[in-house]
Amino acid sequence: MDELIGYFLYFLSLLSVGGIYALLALGLNVNWGFAGLFNAGIAGFAAVGAYTFAILTTAESTFHYGGLGLPIIIGEISAFLIAGIIAAVIGIISIRLRADYLAIATIGIAEIIKLIFKNQVDITNGPRGINKIPRTWEHFSESRYFSQPILSWIGDNQFWQAFFDSLVNWWWQPLFAATILFFVFVVYMMLERARVSPWGRMMTAIRENEDAARAAGKDVTRRRVEAFIIGTMIMGLAGALLAQHLRFIEPTHTFDPSKMTFLVWVMLIAGGSGNNRGAILGAFLIWFVWSASELFLNGFIDIVANIFNGIDVSMLKNRSGYLRMLLIGLVLQFVLQKYPKGILPERRPAAPGE
Amino acid sequence: MWENFGFEFVNYYFIPGLVLGCIYALGAIGITLTFGILRFANFAHGEIMMTGAFLTWTFLEISNIFLGFYMHPLIACTPAIFIAIFLALSVDRYFYKPFRDSPTIIIVMASFGMMLIIRSLVQVIWGPNQITFVKGIAKPNSYLKDFSSSMDMMLLVPSKHLFIILGTIIIMLAFNYMLTSTRIGKAMRAVSDSPDLAKVTGIDVEQVIRATWIVGGFCAVMAGVFMAMDTQFIMSTMGFRMLLPMFAAAILGGIGRPFGAVLGGLVIGFAEELSAYPWFGNGPLLSPGYKSGVAFSILVLMLVFRPSGILKGRVF
Amino acid sequence: MVAVETLRVNNLMKSFGGLEAVKGISFSVQEGSIFGLIGPNGAGKTTTFNIIAGAERPTSGNVLLNGKDVTGLSSEKLYKLGLVRTFQLSHEYPQMTSLENLMVAASDQPGEKIFMNWLAPKTVASREKEVLERALDSLNFLGLSHVKDELAGNLSGGQKKLLELGRTMMTDAKLVLLDEPGAGVNPTLMLKIIEMIRRLNQERGYTFCIIEHDMDLIADLCEKIVVLAEGSILTEGSMTEVRANEKVIDAYFGGDLE
Amino acid sequence: MKKIILTGIASAALAVSASAEVKVGNPMAVTGPIPDLVAPMLLAVDLAEKHVNEQGGLFADGQKYTIVRADSGCDPTAAVDAVTKLVNVEQVSAIIGPVCSGATIAQAQSVTMPAGVVTLSVSASSPAISSLESGTDLVFRTAASDAFQGKALAELAIANGIMDLAISYANDDYNAAIAAVFASNYEILGGTITANEAHEPDKSSYRSEVATLGADTNNLALFAYYGSSGITILRNSLETGAFDLFFGADGMAAQEVIDQIGAENLGNAFFTTSTSDQTTNAFGAWKAAADAANVPAADPFVPNSYDAAFMMALAIEKLGSGDRAGIASALRAIANGPGEVILPGEFAKAKAILAAGGSIHYVGASGPQDFFNNGDVAGFFSKNTVVDGAWKAEIIK
């Protein structure tokens, strides 16, 4: 029974993290799939969202400014908006750069963002990071939340304490996963409507042929900035959810570009860029492969050890983390060569507007 | 502040900047060539550099086992160069060539994947740990001391730095000769300047691409070995750490301009080291915590305000 | 009826480095007419065209659209003022269907503001319906109805050319600039394109300004022709007048006949 | 060949399905920035597992004590994912914790504390962990908080007559934290800090930084991992002559430093480590066992890792089952005494006493592991200097 619950909880956590990556991939899809913007600064923008959320919602702290203790929803909205504002500034100055140039510029910008979080110790607590970040649903069991309205109208502190103690300790987990999936669903619905709308058609046109779009009266530069901002705002929201999931963020490893940025790109390319469903599918698929590959690789190494009795597999075991990275790299090369358009390729609506 | 602006400045800020700049410059040559001729940002370039250094170390160890002494790294790197060039050529053949006619993004993604594959392979084979390349401390030799007989007036340069600086100059001269005086060098310049025109004039583009990987691979390995000689250890992540500064150098100098890359490398190297100079007051100008930000900032500013680079390279 | 000038070009000059590509060109295009701009290679046609279309800025001189100075305005601004252009090499959107290729060219679509799609989907949908009808109508007019759901990238060269023309039909443009509509087109299709242009001119009242290399197309369509050579105007007038002009025969037809 | 493979799979499946075992999760930073520090720690954990299983296993029926390893990569995202798998899929009874403080904090808050699973960290030393568990009694560690080591180092510096110095610390969670504690204690004790700068780890040269920092003093307090920036800074300082005295904490006291820099250049360098009193019986017992198994007994956090894995086995034995809920109090019972003293490796002895209804008091390889209320331990610190080409430790507290 415990085992079944265990698998269920692991599955929920896969869904939660997969959902966060799905949001990142959807944001990237707006950048790349819709508008053809090679944004390689995903980790930086997610970090902006995560830090905005953390600084606004954590309880007062002696380590750093902030700790405003604001409600979670305000933290999420702010993460969304601040990421957008930062993106607007970056977008306006760098949007005219083409493909690889924009990629290099955004990588550089993401690194600068991380350096700022790392060095502005009085705001972000520097490399030591911010902990005790509240998590949706679970946070209600903290007394600073249930001692305040609206919950305090329903019952007093003892009532709530007793109520939360009476629940199984993972009560919040399905709710948290559902919340993330709800965000994914809402963002997906909005983006899907935008994609088949005249806006999506115009963005595709800009991506396909900039000169012709310009001659058809489309304000190409402004539209590009717009797509950059919208995509980045979604990444900011994903960052806020990631901060909730981890409950602790620090600038160095949490937002490591070779893991986060790269993984999201693999997700989008594998799933099918330009296709929102592809982005979501790719995110869940690659995350499942990535997360489960640890279990799988260890089992595989055990089998190898059993077959070749006597050889020392401890080295392989200790380096299995690198084998995983190798695996993801090979998956990417395979997808690029065999399915260059992804598993779910972009499909133009058969009859537009429908 | 200006009264200190003498040999101390040269020894502790200028020469380190120059050495770092030389390493960046050599690495940036390969990046600017691939950018100019194959038209994509090769993210796996740093890994070729790192692999070269690991191979060189392996040959150093082999020489110790079979010959009983450590060769000079600059000798041990010869076989490493051949292997690294072979690696670069096979990566091109199997992972980049299928995408020659695809949109740029696809090949950039492929290089991104290669970066990961090569690094993970090195980590699986050699392990993730730091490996000592050369043991001990390279005490600097002093120059000009006899000339002035004052302790304050001497030039302190460890011999490893002399090797790096002179080595870079020799490679640059050879490279210059190649670009200006050999047939393939001229063809490389032609393709870089205008690929369509080059095709019309009957240049074998695939041959030029091979030459690009050979030259780029050679320079990358040399940059890796020089860096290993300077830091005296090697690590699987050293290539990636150098990648962005090298991109910055290539863009700063102007894409497709090998000498621009050298100039850009020197500028980035100096900027990084001089950012810690106490220009105002006693503290470093910029907190050393922001040191990697120097190259990134130059990179972003350059892209935004003058994407053609100092030497007017091409903008895509 | 008073003839109104849709386009007026005053003393246009453009030099690239030391080279003077256009040396003071002036002409005007009457509303409802079909105007031709011809000349041998290197005569400055394309430069003139690019300046009018907003792709390049003149060194001096100005361009008036309906009496308003539009010199140096970007092509998206010109579009809003009623000037659309086509490209010599078809500029289709390859990953979009033919129908979408046309629909995207429509103006005044509130749905191009992203929030409208979420906040006022009905407004968007009603305009979208009009656009769809017009696009289907245009496809019909061009004889492309059977390929409406085909990706534009898969169309034949001639179909792309027609599509290029079709995009101009999606707007209420006052002036349409056509950049060599006959380039690389077989004679049958050429006739069709000529037919389309004439019908658009007569039935829908579009004003055309055509740059062409091919004399037949111009001869058939244009009421007024300006001949350029080496950056200046050689002569202007009706086709008959132009044909009679010896300078033109020397500079243009002479060369062609040899 | 096919047959061999099938047999292999079958025997692996058998090994998996062997029912009588108690699993403990061991998410370590196998990949990430400090794999070389972690490698000997893994050996120590494996050694503890081996000791327990060789000496009769757990409980009366000799169940297997299984360490399930995972990779936390020193990265909060990876640690949370790895520990989620350990807690839910592997159904481990407890976690013998991640190496890095950030990863430890993230996995504890995100996974183990909500799930009611004990984390016993082996090397996370951030002061932030002391206030983490807030009454849940679910977070323990066998390594002393930097709050103690930073203070001990400041006292040591003053005691050695170092009255002025410059601080350079790598901008990561561990080094930034200990540098801050050191700096405040050192100033309270009357020392003068001429410069205090973070440096970005993993750069190829720090020559200009050390030249600037060294303008007013010859003493450098260096807080860095040797692998990311420590060795380079030492080397650059020695090459440029910017400093001639170096000291710092755990991250630098590794054989690798001597191998790379050369013992002859490290005459004026000392580093403290969170260590064990090497004169005690406990350490003697540990050293003998470690030497026999080829585990570097005195490397940073290696004894702590052994202690964590071994104590967890004792706690489970004491509790009589792998039940998550009872482990915290069982852990306190065997670690804080009173009871018969148990030394590293003496599992059979402990098992016999517990079976007879007695109580035990484990005295660890890294010192007595008496937990405070917040799960911290006091720990010992040693001053390490280079003698005959190796680090020689000398207890300072």
mmCIF file of all heavy atoms in Angstrom, chain A residues 32 96-98 100-101 105 107 111 115 119-120 262 319 322 333 337, chain B residues 41 94 105 110 112 116 123-124 127-128 255 290 293 296 303-304 316:
data_model
loop_
_atom_site.group_PDB
_atom_site.id
_atom_site.type_symbol
_atom_site.label_atom_id
_atom_site.label_comp_id
_atom_site.label_asym_id
_atom_site.label_seq_id
_atom_site.Cartn_x
_atom_site.Cartn_y
_atom_site.Cartn_z
ATOM 1 N N TRP A 32 10.148 31.090 -29.885
ATOM 2 C CA TRP A 32 10.772 30.445 -31.040
ATOM 3 C C TRP A 32 9.753 29.914 -32.041
ATOM 4 O O TRP A 32 9.820 30.200 -33.224
ATOM 5 C CB TRP A 32 11.713 29.320 -30.581
ATOM 6 C CG TRP A 32 12.207 28.499 -31.706
ATOM 7 C CD1 TRP A 32 11.899 27.216 -31.974
ATOM 8 C CD2 TRP A 32 13.077 28.925 -32.750
ATOM 9 N NE1 TRP A 32 12.518 26.811 -33.115
ATOM 10 C CE2 TRP A 32 13.246 27.839 -33.607
ATOM 11 C CE3 TRP A 32 13.722 30.126 -33.035
ATOM 12 C CZ2 TRP A 32 14.035 27.899 -34.748
ATOM 13 C CZ3 TRP A 32 14.508 30.198 -34.169
ATOM 14 C CH2 TRP A 32 14.657 29.091 -35.005
ATOM 15 N N ARG A 96 16.551 43.183 -32.541
ATOM 16 C CA ARG A 96 16.861 43.206 -33.964
ATOM 17 C C ARG A 96 17.997 42.236 -34.303
ATOM 18 O O ARG A 96 18.306 42.025 -35.463
ATOM 19 C CB ARG A 96 17.215 44.627 -34.399
ATOM 20 C CG ARG A 96 18.370 45.159 -33.644
ATOM 21 C CD ARG A 96 18.541 46.640 -33.825
ATOM 22 N NE ARG A 96 19.606 47.092 -32.980
ATOM 23 C CZ ARG A 96 20.881 46.926 -33.268
ATOM 24 N NH1 ARG A 96 21.219 46.332 -34.384
ATOM 25 N NH2 ARG A 96 21.809 47.344 -32.452
ATOM 26 N N LEU A 97 18.626 41.653 -33.274
ATOM 27 C CA LEU A 97 19.678 40.672 -33.555
ATOM 28 C C LEU A 97 19.055 39.424 -34.158
ATOM 29 O O LEU A 97 17.970 39.016 -33.775
ATOM 30 C CB LEU A 97 20.400 40.305 -32.269
ATOM 31 C CG LEU A 97 21.097 41.462 -31.591
ATOM 32 C CD1 LEU A 97 21.622 41.017 -30.241
ATOM 33 C CD2 LEU A 97 22.235 41.970 -32.451
ATOM 34 N N ARG A 98 19.768 38.806 -35.084
ATOM 35 C CA ARG A 98 19.219 37.613 -35.709
ATOM 36 C C ARG A 98 19.675 36.358 -34.992
ATOM 37 O O ARG A 98 20.639 36.380 -34.233
ATOM 38 C CB ARG A 98 19.609 37.562 -37.177
ATOM 39 C CG ARG A 98 19.172 38.749 -37.965
ATOM 40 C CD ARG A 98 17.710 39.140 -37.660
ATOM 41 N NE ARG A 98 16.777 38.032 -37.709
ATOM 42 C CZ ARG A 98 16.211 37.606 -38.811
ATOM 43 N NH1 ARG A 98 16.460 38.190 -39.955
ATOM 44 N NH2 ARG A 98 15.376 36.610 -38.769
ATOM 45 N N ASP A 100 21.451 33.361 -34.159
ATOM 46 C CA ASP A 100 22.488 32.971 -33.198
ATOM 47 C C ASP A 100 22.957 34.155 -32.366
ATOM 48 O O ASP A 100 23.351 34.000 -31.237
ATOM 49 C CB ASP A 100 23.726 32.365 -33.846
ATOM 50 C CG ASP A 100 23.495 31.810 -35.199
ATOM 51 O OD1 ASP A 100 22.560 32.272 -35.876
ATOM 52 O OD2 ASP A 100 24.266 30.934 -35.610
ATOM 53 N N TYR A 101 22.900 35.343 -32.971
ATOM 54 C CA TYR A 101 23.335 36.521 -32.220
ATOM 55 C C TYR A 101 22.441 36.743 -31.021
ATOM 56 O O TYR A 101 22.903 37.035 -29.922
ATOM 57 C CB TYR A 101 23.278 37.756 -33.121
ATOM 58 C CG TYR A 101 24.495 37.944 -33.967
ATOM 59 C CD1 TYR A 101 24.815 37.060 -34.975
ATOM 60 C CD2 TYR A 101 25.327 39.030 -33.749
ATOM 61 C CE1 TYR A 101 25.929 37.242 -35.752
ATOM 62 C CE2 TYR A 101 26.450 39.219 -34.528
ATOM 63 C CZ TYR A 101 26.751 38.324 -35.532
ATOM 64 O OH TYR A 101 27.862 38.507 -36.288
ATOM 65 N N ALA A 105 23.490 36.684 -27.150
ATOM 66 C CA ALA A 105 23.180 37.836 -26.298
ATOM 67 C C ALA A 105 22.332 37.410 -25.111
ATOM 68 O O ALA A 105 22.593 37.824 -23.981
ATOM 69 C CB ALA A 105 22.456 38.907 -27.104
ATOM 70 N N ILE A 107 22.090 34.433 -23.727
ATOM 71 C CA ILE A 107 22.900 33.650 -22.770
ATOM 72 C C ILE A 107 23.679 34.604 -21.883
ATOM 73 O O ILE A 107 23.707 34.477 -20.655
ATOM 74 C CB ILE A 107 23.894 32.722 -23.497
ATOM 75 C CG1 ILE A 107 23.163 31.597 -24.209
ATOM 76 C CG2 ILE A 107 24.876 32.116 -22.505
ATOM 77 C CD1 ILE A 107 24.100 30.629 -24.881
ATOM 78 N N GLU A 111 23.375 35.190 -17.826
ATOM 79 C CA GLU A 111 24.498 35.061 -16.889
ATOM 80 C C GLU A 111 24.640 36.326 -16.047
ATOM 81 O O GLU A 111 24.941 36.262 -14.861
ATOM 82 C CB GLU A 111 25.799 34.788 -17.648
ATOM 83 C CG GLU A 111 25.866 33.398 -18.249
ATOM 84 C CD GLU A 111 25.775 32.298 -17.192
ATOM 85 O OE1 GLU A 111 26.485 32.382 -16.181
ATOM 86 O OE2 GLU A 111 24.972 31.366 -17.381
ATOM 87 N N LEU A 115 24.512 36.663 -12.062
ATOM 88 C CA LEU A 115 25.582 37.304 -11.291
ATOM 89 C C LEU A 115 25.010 38.364 -10.363
ATOM 90 O O LEU A 115 25.482 38.524 -9.235
ATOM 91 C CB LEU A 115 26.591 37.960 -12.238
ATOM 92 C CG LEU A 115 27.685 37.066 -12.792
ATOM 93 C CD1 LEU A 115 28.565 37.859 -13.733
ATOM 94 C CD2 LEU A 115 28.536 36.507 -11.662
ATOM 95 N N ASN A 119 25.450 38.448 -6.342
ATOM 96 C CA ASN A 119 26.275 39.449 -5.683
ATOM 97 C C ASN A 119 25.491 40.486 -4.892
ATOM 98 O O ASN A 119 26.058 41.145 -4.028
ATOM 99 C CB ASN A 119 27.175 40.152 -6.701
ATOM 100 C CG ASN A 119 28.324 39.253 -7.123
ATOM 101 O OD1 ASN A 119 29.275 39.076 -6.381
ATOM 102 N ND2 ASN A 119 28.203 38.647 -8.284
ATOM 103 N N GLN A 120 24.213 40.661 -5.201
ATOM 104 C CA GLN A 120 23.429 41.633 -4.420
ATOM 105 C C GLN A 120 22.928 40.948 -3.165
ATOM 106 O O GLN A 120 21.745 40.673 -2.992
ATOM 107 C CB GLN A 120 22.275 42.198 -5.262
ATOM 108 C CG GLN A 120 22.746 43.018 -6.433
ATOM 109 C CD GLN A 120 23.788 44.047 -6.043
ATOM 110 O OE1 GLN A 120 23.607 44.798 -5.094
ATOM 111 N NE2 GLN A 120 24.911 44.086 -6.735
ATOM 112 N N PHE A 262 19.066 24.348 -21.668
ATOM 113 C CA PHE A 262 19.275 23.345 -22.692
ATOM 114 C C PHE A 262 18.167 22.303 -22.690
ATOM 115 O O PHE A 262 17.643 21.921 -23.739
ATOM 116 C CB PHE A 262 20.629 22.680 -22.475
ATOM 117 C CG PHE A 262 20.875 21.605 -23.444
ATOM 118 C CD1 PHE A 262 21.065 21.917 -24.772
ATOM 119 C CD2 PHE A 262 20.885 20.283 -23.056
ATOM 120 C CE1 PHE A 262 21.264 20.926 -25.699
ATOM 121 C CE2 PHE A 262 21.093 19.299 -23.980
ATOM 122 C CZ PHE A 262 21.288 19.616 -25.295
ATOM 123 N N ARG A 319 29.618 7.647 -12.053
ATOM 124 C CA ARG A 319 29.555 8.574 -13.178
ATOM 125 C C ARG A 319 28.247 8.452 -13.944
ATOM 126 O O ARG A 319 28.125 8.937 -15.052
ATOM 127 C CB ARG A 319 30.742 8.323 -14.109
ATOM 128 C CG ARG A 319 32.054 8.699 -13.440
ATOM 129 C CD ARG A 319 33.253 8.421 -14.298
ATOM 130 N NE ARG A 319 34.469 8.649 -13.513
ATOM 131 C CZ ARG A 319 35.674 8.376 -13.937
ATOM 132 N NH1 ARG A 319 35.844 7.869 -15.134
ATOM 133 N NH2 ARG A 319 36.725 8.605 -13.181
ATOM 134 N N TYR A 322 26.695 11.496 -15.492
ATOM 135 C CA TYR A 322 27.213 11.986 -16.773
ATOM 136 C C TYR A 322 26.660 11.161 -17.925
ATOM 137 O O TYR A 322 26.436 11.685 -19.016
ATOM 138 C CB TYR A 322 28.738 11.979 -16.757
ATOM 139 C CG TYR A 322 29.281 12.790 -15.613
ATOM 140 C CD1 TYR A 322 29.834 12.193 -14.504
ATOM 141 C CD2 TYR A 322 29.163 14.177 -15.628
ATOM 142 C CE1 TYR A 322 30.278 12.945 -13.424
ATOM 143 C CE2 TYR A 322 29.601 14.940 -14.563
ATOM 144 C CZ TYR A 322 30.161 14.319 -13.467
ATOM 145 O OH TYR A 322 30.581 15.071 -12.411
ATOM 146 N N GLN A 333 20.267 14.545 -30.746
ATOM 147 C CA GLN A 333 20.810 14.340 -32.095
ATOM 148 C C GLN A 333 19.892 13.433 -32.907
ATOM 149 O O GLN A 333 19.655 13.663 -34.085
ATOM 150 C CB GLN A 333 22.209 13.703 -32.034
ATOM 151 C CG GLN A 333 23.246 14.553 -31.351
ATOM 152 C CD GLN A 333 23.594 15.805 -32.126
ATOM 153 O OE1 GLN A 333 23.029 16.088 -33.175
ATOM 154 N NE2 GLN A 333 24.509 16.587 -31.595
ATOM 155 N N GLN A 337 17.883 14.534 -36.332
ATOM 156 C CA GLN A 337 18.124 13.919 -37.634
ATOM 157 C C GLN A 337 16.904 13.170 -38.156
ATOM 158 O O GLN A 337 16.650 13.171 -39.350
ATOM 159 C CB GLN A 337 19.329 12.973 -37.553
ATOM 160 C CG GLN A 337 20.596 13.740 -37.211
ATOM 161 C CD GLN A 337 21.846 13.120 -37.779
ATOM 162 O OE1 GLN A 337 21.828 12.056 -38.373
ATOM 163 N NE2 GLN A 337 22.971 13.800 -37.592
ATOM 164 N N ALA B 41 26.860 29.475 -34.885
ATOM 165 C CA ALA B 41 27.615 29.597 -33.639
ATOM 166 C C ALA B 41 27.877 28.197 -33.109
ATOM 167 O O ALA B 41 26.947 27.498 -32.741
ATOM 168 C CB ALA B 41 26.822 30.415 -32.627
ATOM 169 N N TYR B 94 29.199 13.704 -39.336
ATOM 170 C CA TYR B 94 28.022 12.941 -38.915
ATOM 171 C C TYR B 94 26.945 13.778 -38.248
ATOM 172 O O TYR B 94 25.792 13.382 -38.206
ATOM 173 C CB TYR B 94 28.436 11.789 -37.983
ATOM 174 C CG TYR B 94 29.264 10.767 -38.719
ATOM 175 C CD1 TYR B 94 30.636 10.708 -38.562
ATOM 176 C CD2 TYR B 94 28.656 9.901 -39.625
ATOM 177 C CE1 TYR B 94 31.394 9.795 -39.272
ATOM 178 C CE2 TYR B 94 29.406 8.990 -40.335
ATOM 179 C CZ TYR B 94 30.785 8.936 -40.151
ATOM 180 O OH TYR B 94 31.507 8.035 -40.868
ATOM 181 N N ILE B 105 19.139 27.375 -36.940
ATOM 182 C CA ILE B 105 18.825 26.921 -35.587
ATOM 183 C C ILE B 105 19.093 25.444 -35.406
ATOM 184 O O ILE B 105 19.589 25.010 -34.378
ATOM 185 C CB ILE B 105 17.347 27.252 -35.277
ATOM 186 C CG1 ILE B 105 16.889 26.604 -33.965
ATOM 187 C CG2 ILE B 105 16.429 26.791 -36.380
ATOM 188 C CD1 ILE B 105 17.424 27.292 -32.785
ATOM 189 N N ALA B 110 22.252 21.244 -32.902
ATOM 190 C CA ALA B 110 23.118 20.067 -33.023
ATOM 191 C C ALA B 110 24.445 20.320 -32.320
ATOM 192 O O ALA B 110 24.971 19.443 -31.629
ATOM 193 C CB ALA B 110 23.333 19.724 -34.492
ATOM 194 N N PHE B 112 24.933 22.364 -29.879
ATOM 195 C CA PHE B 112 24.597 22.367 -28.454
ATOM 196 C C PHE B 112 24.614 20.932 -27.915
ATOM 197 O O PHE B 112 25.184 20.641 -26.864
ATOM 198 C CB PHE B 112 23.180 22.931 -28.313
ATOM 199 C CG PHE B 112 23.013 23.933 -27.219
ATOM 200 C CD1 PHE B 112 22.744 25.257 -27.511
ATOM 201 C CD2 PHE B 112 23.093 23.548 -25.903
ATOM 202 C CE1 PHE B 112 22.571 26.172 -26.503
ATOM 203 C CE2 PHE B 112 22.927 24.476 -24.887
ATOM 204 C CZ PHE B 112 22.661 25.786 -25.184
ATOM 205 N N LEU B 116 27.284 18.774 -25.199
ATOM 206 C CA LEU B 116 26.913 17.924 -24.081
ATOM 207 C C LEU B 116 27.502 16.528 -24.208
ATOM 208 O O LEU B 116 27.999 15.947 -23.251
ATOM 209 C CB LEU B 116 25.395 17.822 -24.086
ATOM 210 C CG LEU B 116 24.767 17.926 -22.748
ATOM 211 C CD1 LEU B 116 24.990 19.303 -22.203
ATOM 212 C CD2 LEU B 116 23.291 17.670 -22.893
ATOM 213 N N GLN B 123 33.805 13.195 -19.227
ATOM 214 C CA GLN B 123 33.585 12.971 -17.801
ATOM 215 C C GLN B 123 33.483 11.482 -17.482
ATOM 216 O O GLN B 123 33.938 11.038 -16.437
ATOM 217 C CB GLN B 123 32.317 13.702 -17.354
ATOM 218 C CG GLN B 123 32.567 15.193 -17.200
ATOM 219 C CD GLN B 123 31.291 16.007 -17.143
ATOM 220 O OE1 GLN B 123 30.265 15.596 -17.644
ATOM 221 N NE2 GLN B 123 31.372 17.176 -16.538
ATOM 222 N N VAL B 124 32.915 10.717 -18.395
ATOM 223 C CA VAL B 124 32.828 9.281 -18.152
ATOM 224 C C VAL B 124 34.212 8.642 -18.271
ATOM 225 O O VAL B 124 34.588 7.793 -17.476
ATOM 226 C CB VAL B 124 31.825 8.623 -19.127
ATOM 227 C CG1 VAL B 124 31.900 7.118 -19.041
ATOM 228 C CG2 VAL B 124 30.418 9.092 -18.812
ATOM 229 N N GLY B 127 36.764 11.060 -15.910
ATOM 230 C CA GLY B 127 36.227 11.446 -14.614
ATOM 231 C C GLY B 127 36.029 12.945 -14.534
ATOM 232 O O GLY B 127 36.601 13.692 -15.311
ATOM 233 N N PRO B 128 35.187 13.361 -13.593
ATOM 234 C CA PRO B 128 34.859 14.776 -13.511
ATOM 235 C C PRO B 128 35.893 15.590 -12.724
ATOM 236 O O PRO B 128 35.798 16.799 -12.657
ATOM 237 C CB PRO B 128 33.524 14.768 -12.767
ATOM 238 C CG PRO B 128 33.591 13.550 -11.920
ATOM 239 C CD PRO B 128 34.423 12.553 -12.647
ATOM 240 N N ILE B 255 32.647 39.248 -36.873
ATOM 241 C CA ILE B 255 32.521 37.864 -37.325
ATOM 242 C C ILE B 255 33.197 37.676 -38.680
ATOM 243 O O ILE B 255 33.064 38.511 -39.578
ATOM 244 C CB ILE B 255 31.032 37.504 -37.410
ATOM 245 C CG1 ILE B 255 30.454 37.363 -36.008
ATOM 246 C CG2 ILE B 255 30.815 36.234 -38.194
ATOM 247 C CD1 ILE B 255 31.118 36.315 -35.183
ATOM 248 N N TYR B 290 31.958 39.835 -9.799
ATOM 249 C CA TYR B 290 31.342 40.154 -11.085
ATOM 250 C C TYR B 290 32.288 39.898 -12.254
ATOM 251 O O TYR B 290 32.005 40.306 -13.370
ATOM 252 C CB TYR B 290 30.915 41.625 -11.111
ATOM 253 C CG TYR B 290 29.576 41.886 -10.482
ATOM 254 C CD1 TYR B 290 29.464 42.627 -9.308
ATOM 255 C CD2 TYR B 290 28.414 41.404 -11.060
ATOM 256 C CE1 TYR B 290 28.233 42.877 -8.729
ATOM 257 C CE2 TYR B 290 27.179 41.649 -10.489
ATOM 258 C CZ TYR B 290 27.093 42.383 -9.329
ATOM 259 O OH TYR B 290 25.868 42.614 -8.768
ATOM 260 N N GLY B 293 31.107 38.693 -15.399
ATOM 261 C CA GLY B 293 30.177 39.630 -16.010
ATOM 262 C C GLY B 293 30.843 40.575 -16.988
ATOM 263 O O GLY B 293 30.183 41.122 -17.869
ATOM 264 N N PHE B 296 30.639 39.132 -20.428
ATOM 265 C CA PHE B 296 29.237 39.087 -20.862
ATOM 266 C C PHE B 296 28.743 40.481 -21.205
ATOM 267 O O PHE B 296 28.027 40.671 -22.185
ATOM 268 C CB PHE B 296 28.348 38.489 -19.771
ATOM 269 C CG PHE B 296 28.717 37.100 -19.374
ATOM 270 C CD1 PHE B 296 28.576 36.664 -18.081
ATOM 271 C CD2 PHE B 296 29.228 36.221 -20.315
ATOM 272 C CE1 PHE B 296 28.928 35.383 -17.719
ATOM 273 C CE2 PHE B 296 29.579 34.932 -19.964
ATOM 274 C CZ PHE B 296 29.426 34.519 -18.654
ATOM 275 N N LEU B 303 26.964 43.488 -29.127
ATOM 276 C CA LEU B 303 25.900 42.978 -29.997
ATOM 277 C C LEU B 303 24.849 44.037 -30.235
ATOM 278 O O LEU B 303 24.302 44.171 -31.323
ATOM 279 C CB LEU B 303 25.254 41.752 -29.358
ATOM 280 C CG LEU B 303 25.995 40.451 -29.545
ATOM 281 C CD1 LEU B 303 25.327 39.350 -28.745
ATOM 282 C CD2 LEU B 303 26.017 40.066 -31.007
ATOM 283 N N VAL B 304 24.574 44.800 -29.190
ATOM 284 C CA VAL B 304 23.486 45.756 -29.315
ATOM 285 C C VAL B 304 23.922 46.988 -30.096
ATOM 286 O O VAL B 304 23.204 47.466 -30.968
ATOM 287 C CB VAL B 304 22.984 46.139 -27.904
ATOM 288 C CG1 VAL B 304 22.027 47.304 -27.994
ATOM 289 C CG2 VAL B 304 22.295 44.947 -27.268
ATOM 290 N N PHE B 316 24.675 39.004 -39.792
ATOM 291 C CA PHE B 316 23.707 38.187 -40.528
ATOM 292 C C PHE B 316 22.304 38.726 -40.338
ATOM 293 O O PHE B 316 21.931 39.104 -39.278
ATOM 294 C CB PHE B 316 23.781 36.740 -40.051
ATOM 295 C CG PHE B 316 25.091 36.134 -40.367
ATOM 296 C CD1 PHE B 316 26.071 36.061 -39.415
ATOM 297 C CD2 PHE B 316 25.352 35.693 -41.654
ATOM 298 C CE1 PHE B 316 27.287 35.515 -39.712
ATOM 299 C CE2 PHE B 316 26.580 35.145 -41.950
ATOM 300 C CZ PHE B 316 27.546 35.063 -40.982
#
